[in-house]
Amino acid sequence: MRWGTKATRANRPDPPAERALRFGELLGSHAQVVDLLDRAAALRGLAKRVREACGVHIGLAGLAESEELLVLRQWDGLWQGDATPGSTLHDLHVPIGLGLGGRVYERLEPVWVDDYRRSDLITHDFDVPISADDVRSMMAVPMMLDGRTQGVLYAAMREPVGFSDRQLDTALEIAGTGALALQTASAAERQRQSAVSAERRRIASELHDSVGAQLFRMGAELRDLRNSVGGEAADLLARLDSLQDQLAETASTFRESVHALDHDEPPAGRLAAALTRDCAEFGKRTGISAQSVEIGPVAECDPQRGSVLLAVAREALLNVEKHSSASSVLISSVALDGGMAVSVADDGDGAGVRDSGGIGLRSAADRVGALGGTLSTVVNEDGGLTVRVWMPTP
């Protein structure tokens, strides 16, 4: 005789339905873990959550990318985003104090407007992209944790309506959990970068011990061979000298490459961080290899000069994208002559400025000159262009 109760057919859960329910729970758990490890996924999830939980047409998530700049990185429900690869609101740069998000970023408190384009609470720098998606009412709340702003969360409607207290409380609750998710994702990203740096140092060490030793041995054997050749073999001596020069050049390039692998510290200043991000985004968008490096210690510029330097670099990248056939771009920053110099060099066909007329760079040159700086464009000896801008630092 068996003890216990035996479930009846009516009480037993349907196996396929139970598996489907469990699978759905696992997918939800997986999404939460991904959000904690990936900042883009976290922002995407926040935009969707605020749209669904607040019952609005559009959800937007903006990331605080500097003390003075907010960038709308992810969205859910945009018309243009549904029809095309991007939206005018996607990747929109919002300086502190401007528009609705910039006001929230500046004041660190929720702000909402019943009719965005008619509101006198905000500036109207972004009325064009707002109108493109027919946004009317909009609410924005800061995502803060431990006194630090991680970003701004938006909820928007395509009709002029007021937002309820429940919607505001819901948005604030999601913003609170979102700030924690973004902070965790940033920590995970730093850990990944640290792991990459450690791997680069390991590779550098192995290359130094293997390839470096081999180059040294080849150089020693080549010198011995040259010394053993008599003076009568002039042609052979010339070839040996040429090989020795080539080997010395190869060894020098190798040492520089190993040094670069072994010194992969992340850039510190706001300008350096912005240039690094721009290179990453440029590479993803165009498929052209782009890298930003600092040569020696570089002091941080004041915001005005930094923004001009960044604008010149971005205009140069845009010219490369639109007019050059380059396969790689290098942005370098260096302290020079009591100021800071930024160079954007590409290996294209040198058509960037010639084909575009250089209008954007000429406009940038006026801004540079107004601050006492200089801007020049030169054709590289081995092809491509280099745009150089120098700015005095106070």
Side-chain angles (χ1 to χ4, degrees), residues 276-317:
T276 299
R277 283 195 300 270
D278 284 353
C279 283
E281 293 172 1
F282 176 86
K284 291 179 181 177
R285 185 173 67 251
T286 65
I288 300 172
S289 172
Q291 186 178 8
S292 176
V293 297
E294 285 188 347
I295 303 174
V298 178
E300 185 64 22
C301 286
D302 63 272
Q304 186 178 19
R305 287 175 172 80
S307 65
V308 173
L309 288 170
L310 185 59
V312 172
R314 287 174 173 170
E315 182 63 31
L317 285 175

Side-chain angles (χ1 to χ4, degrees), residues 228-247:
S228 66
V229 175
E232 67 279 0
D235 290 344
L236 180 57
L237 282 174
R239 292 181 61 188
L240 288 174
D241 287 340
S242 176
L243 285 174
Q244 193 167 355
D245 290 341
Q246 293 178 37
L247 184 61

